[in-house]
Amino acid sequence: MDRREFAALLPALLAGSALVPESVEAQGSSLPVIESGVYKPTPAKPGSMAGHSSSRYLTGMLKAGNIRLEMHESTIDPRAEHEAVGTHLHSEIWLVREGTAELTTNGVARTMVAGDVGICCAGDKHFIANTSDKPVTYFVVTVGPPE
């Protein structure tokens, strides 16, 4: 996705629109092929850690080849622990919708506020944390090979 395509998509992301047809569902352990369309978020569910919640928009494979695409919106409450430092085969893009977050990649911490985009390339060690006294909400787009 080039910068113009992302910029065209940004208003829909901020408005809460989604990117995967509602009819596309994962079948068994295989991922669905993502088709052009509009996607609605799932209801927010508690995350794997206290103070974290998330709504999924899509998970699937792009027609272009062996490329997995996933998108969700997450909220981290103030004072919630950050998730474990991780690495992946895929790259991740974060877009902060509201609040202040700190994105740490390979030991370098960077502050992100509403409207900022952060990127973590495949293989880099990373985590995101809420560094404020208010919730931080952000979209995450992951792109890369299936894991």
Side-chain angles (χ1 to χ4, degrees), residues 110-135:
R110 298 171 183 91
T111 299
M112 295 173 46
V113 297
D116 287 350
V117 172
I119 296 176
C120 178
C121 295
D124 287 352
K125 292 182 180 182
H126 66 281
F127 67 89
I128 190 167
N130 183 343
T131 57
S132 71
D133 59 355
K134 297 179 181 174

Side-chain angles (χ1 to χ4, degrees), residues 74-97:
S74 290
T75 298
I76 303 176
D77 293 335
R79 295 172 296 285
E81 293 286 327
H82 67 75
E83 294 180 352
V85 175
T87 60
H88 308 289
L89 297 175
H90 61 255
S91 294
E92 295 188 36
I93 303 165
W94 292 270
L95 169 64
V96 177
R97 185 165 66 101

Side-chain angles (χ1 to χ4, degrees), residues 43-86:
K45 295 180 181 176
S48 59
M49 298 181 65
H52 293 246
S53 62
S54 186
S55 296
R56 182 174 61 98
Y57 285 83
L58 64 95
T59 301
M61 300 297 291
L62 296 174
K63 293 179 187 179
N66 195 27
I67 301 171
R68 178 183 177 273
L69 176 67
E70 187 263 340
M71 182 181 173
H72 64 274
E73 180 182 18
S74 290
T75 298
I76 303 176
D77 293 335
R79 295 172 296 285
E81 293 286 327
H82 67 75
E83 294 180 352
V85 175

